[in-house]
Amino acid sequence: MTEAEDRKPQSDEAHSAFRPPGSVAASIDGESSTTSEFEIPQGLAVPRHVGTESETTSEFSLPEGLDSLPAAPAEDEGSAFTTPSTYHAWTAPAAFTPASGFPAVNLTDVPWQDRMRAMLRMPVAERPAPETAQRHDDDTGPAVPRVLDLTLRIGELLLAGGEGAEDVEAAMFAVCRSYGLDRCEPNVTFTLLSISHQPSLVEDPVTASRTVRRRGTDYTRLAAVFHLVDDLSDPDTNISLEEAYRRLAEMRRNRHPYPTWVLTTASGLLAGAASVLVGGGLTVFVAAMLGSMLGDRLAWLCAGRGLPEFYQFAVAAMPPAAMGIALTLVHVDVKASAVITGGLFALLPGRALVAGVQDGLTGFYITAAARLLEVMYFFVSIVAGVLVVLYFGVQLGAQLNPDAELGTGDEPFVQIGASMLLSLAFAILLQQERSTVLAVTLNGGVAWSVYGAMHIAGDISPVASTAAAAGLVGLFGQLMSRYRFASALPYTTAAIGPLLPGSATYFGLLAIAQSEVDKGLVSLSTAVALAMAIAIGVNLGGEISRLFLKVPGAASAAGRRAAKRTRGF
């Protein structure tokens, strides 16, 4: 190097902080000879610990014949992300994510309701890929907006028919996945349905929504919608999008399975059977039947004039109460309270109450609050209608005793027969399929038998007896729904009819009408407790039934995912 070159300014690379000074000799081995800071220096012998078996087999001890640890190559050194040798996938805590990913989830040998519910509770990244999609007219598949529209229409029919929010979301998710849309997020509230599909992480999502304007009780249509979703979820059944639209249009056009006069007669039979359950005789049966049929016709008249349901329930509650007051004023030796109680059984919103409590227990609090608010409005309308009649009856001199107790009679077989007749009439009012009427009728008789054995014979609390009987109804309904691949509502709603708190509601209203507010509130609180026991019992029975079914992705019920975290974290 010349003297001129020595005076020449050096480049930035020459002044690098990692360049060794000129007076320090560089390593002849290069970067590959760099050792880890955890490596034992050469020449340092590490003594072996001789002791118990746990000490000799410790992963930190050296093998026999080895005095020191050799320097390991850099690529063989352990990383902080390497799975520890003591890790096992089956015993790992939930917070640890193994480097190889999550275990595979088996979702092929269970009903589609459980498959979709399990996947909805998973994060999007953990959901398995969709199964074989339905057949399309071309290789590109159906248009995403049309699939989302079909999904919303199916969800609308289910929600309008009284299905729970979780089951509606599961059905909507099943329809989307059957047509190959795997990154979908359905959302259900009381009156609004929405669904969003994001094709990939770099594409904009497609979102659609639909509002539920009208609600109607038709369990035959509900079963048909469930059958369509089951066919779409079956990989062996190929249904094009046009065929699914055609079947959905047929469901909307089909008439109800029972004519109007059959529904009115069923309403009367329900009230008559309920009056027998609380100790009434033949005269009470006929009076309650006539009063309920008259109230049903008046409610239909108000509906035809466009009045809201609040006033329809108030008008429907007046004729049975007026019939009981009239029998008292003419001094007929019958239980007028049994006549009024029988008329209330046909009006109590047991279906909406069960659905509202179920939504609350599964984490859909907005929908649950809206359903329970609807139940409260219906209950207030019934209270208003009955209180008006009771007030005028008391002013006319009707002798009504709020402290009287309605019995259940001394003939258990008559009571069981009345409970079965009540469930049969309730099933007809709900427009159920004829194939399910017999099963729900028997279920109602079994529910009343359990309640009578616990409360009447065993002298157990009526709330506990009601909850146990309702739990049996929910258990049977869930098992039948899995066997028939249908909704559980047709097998549970009508069967809880004999358990509804009609007598407690009546005596509470009567006490309030006679200015005994304290007694009235106590009786009404008992009615609320019985209603909640019914709803919780039905839901608990359904959850217990799932313990005996195959749980997706787990060998036992301990691995089942909860609906949502509800403890504030």
Side-chain angles (χ1 to χ4, degrees), residues 18-321:
F18 298 98
R19 182 180 180 184
S23 59
V24 179
S27 174
I28 59 175
D29 294 335
E31 292 185 6
S32 61
S33 63
T34 304
T35 58
S36 172
E37 59 181 345
F38 299 102
E39 184 184 2
I40 300 176
Q42 295 182 2
L44 178 61
V46 181
R48 294 178 63 247
H49 295 278
V50 181
T52 60
E53 182 181 357
S54 60
E55 293 176 347
T56 56
T57 58
S58 172
E59 59 182 292
F60 299 102
S61 60
L62 297 177
E64 295 183 4
L66 184 62
D67 296 332
S68 63
L69 291 174
E75 60 270 17
D76 295 338
E77 293 181 1
S79 171
F81 300 97
T82 303
T83 305
S85 60
T86 57
Y87 169 78
H88 195 276
W90 297 104
T91 59
F96 182 80
T97 303
S100 57
F102 289 93
V105 180
N106 181 18
L107 297 172
T108 58
D109 298 330
V110 292
W112 66 266
Q113 297 101 318
D114 291 333
R115 296 204 315 269
M116 298 303 112
R117 185 181 291 109
M119 281 188 282
L120 280 174
R121 295 174 180 179
M122 292 180 183
V124 179
E126 298 180 30
R127 293 173 183 172
E131 297 83 1
T132 305
Q134 296 292 330
R135 183 177 56 195
H136 312 303
D137 296 334
D138 51 14
D139 296 335
T140 60
V144 172
R146 293 198 65 196
V147 175
L148 298 184
D149 178 71
L150 175 67
T151 302
L152 291 174
R153 291 178 183 272
I154 290 177
E156 178 189 9
L157 288 181
L158 293 176
L159 189 62
E163 193 63 67
E166 186 179 32
D167 293 327
V168 175
E169 281 195 358
M172 295 172 63
F173 193 65
V175 174
C176 287
R177 288 182 65 87
S178 65
Y179 287 103
L181 307 184
D182 56 337
R183 302 180 64 88
C184 291
E185 289 295 335
N187 187 24
V188 176
T189 58
F190 185 58
T191 58
L192 181 64
L193 299 168
S194 63
I195 188 167
S196 177
H197 168 65
Q198 189 174 12
S200 65
L201 296 177
V202 296
E203 298 183 62
D204 295 332
V206 180
T207 304
S209 61
R210 192 174 184 88
T211 303
V212 179
R213 300 292 184 185
R214 299 183 60 185
R215 298 177 182 273
T217 304
D218 189 344
Y219 282 1
T220 300
R221 180 180 298 171
L222 191 68
V225 175
F226 262 81
H227 185 63
L228 173 60
V229 178
D230 182 61
D231 289 343
L232 290 174
S233 303
D234 188 2
D236 298 330
T237 304
N238 292 320
I239 300 178
S240 63
L241 194 63
E242 288 72 18
E243 176 67 15
Y245 266 108
R246 185 190 64 78
R247 291 178 57 176
L248 195 62
E250 289 180 355
M251 296 175 196
R252 290 180 174 275
R253 287 195 302 264
N254 282 347
R255 299 177 60 87
H256 297 303
Y258 305 104
T260 304
W261 68 269
V262 174
L263 299 179
T264 302
T265 305
S267 177
L269 290 176
L270 192 154
S275 66
V276 175
L277 281 180
V278 293
L282 180 60
T283 305
V284 173
F285 178 90
V286 175
M289 181 176 178
L290 293 177
S292 181
M293 293 174 64
L294 180 59
D296 182 78
R297 286 293 86 200
L298 290 177
W300 277 103
L301 181 62
C302 294
R305 296 296 184 270
L307 288 178
E309 285 185 310
F310 181 90
Y311 303 105
Q312 296 177 28
F313 272 78
V315 170
M318 290 182 178

Side-chain angles (χ1 to χ4, degrees), residues 332-520:
V332 178
D333 189 15
V334 295
K335 293 182 178 180
S337 55
V339 177
I340 302 176
T341 300
L344 292 179
F345 265 82
L347 299 176
L348 293 177
R351 173 182 57 87
L353 176 65
V354 172
V357 174
Q358 179 182 358
D359 288 342
L361 295 176
T362 52
F364 294 84
Y365 300 114
I366 297 178
T367 307
R371 288 186 189 272
L372 294 178
L373 184 62
E374 181 188 36
V375 171
M376 188 191 71
Y377 271 103
F378 289 161
F379 192 77
V380 170
S381 65
I382 296 172
V383 168
V386 176
L387 278 180
V388 169
V389 177
L390 291 180
Y391 177 79
F392 283 105
V394 171
Q395 297 300 318
L396 293 175
Q399 300 296 326
L400 299 174
N401 185 13
D403 296 328
E405 290 291 339
L406 290 177
T408 56
D410 299 330
E411 300 178 358
F413 292 104
V414 175
Q415 302 296 312
I416 295 175
S419 65
M420 295 176 65
L421 178 60
L422 192 152
S423 298
L424 172 64
F426 205 172
I428 294 175
L429 286 176
L430 294 174
Q431 304 279 2
Q432 291 190 197
E433 290 181 300
R434 291 178 174 86
S435 60
T436 64
V437 170
L438 178 60
V440 74
T441 301
L442 296 176
N443 197 15
V446 172
W448 181 259
S449 300
V450 173
Y451 172 80
M454 295 181 63
H455 176 58
I456 301 173
D459 198 18
I460 301 176
S461 169
V463 176
S465 303
T466 301
L472 189 63
V473 169
L475 175 64
F476 175 79
Q478 285 293 336
L479 293 178
M480 285 298 297
S481 67
R482 293 305 189 273
Y483 176 74
R484 299 287 297 271
F485 295 98
S487 172
L489 289 180
Y491 300 99
T492 58
T493 305
I496 65 173
L499 305 175
L500 293 175
S503 59
T505 303
Y506 162 70
F507 284 118
L509 299 179
L510 179 58
I512 294 175
Q514 295 182 346
S515 301
E516 298 181 2
V517 181
D518 294 339
K519 291 183 179 180

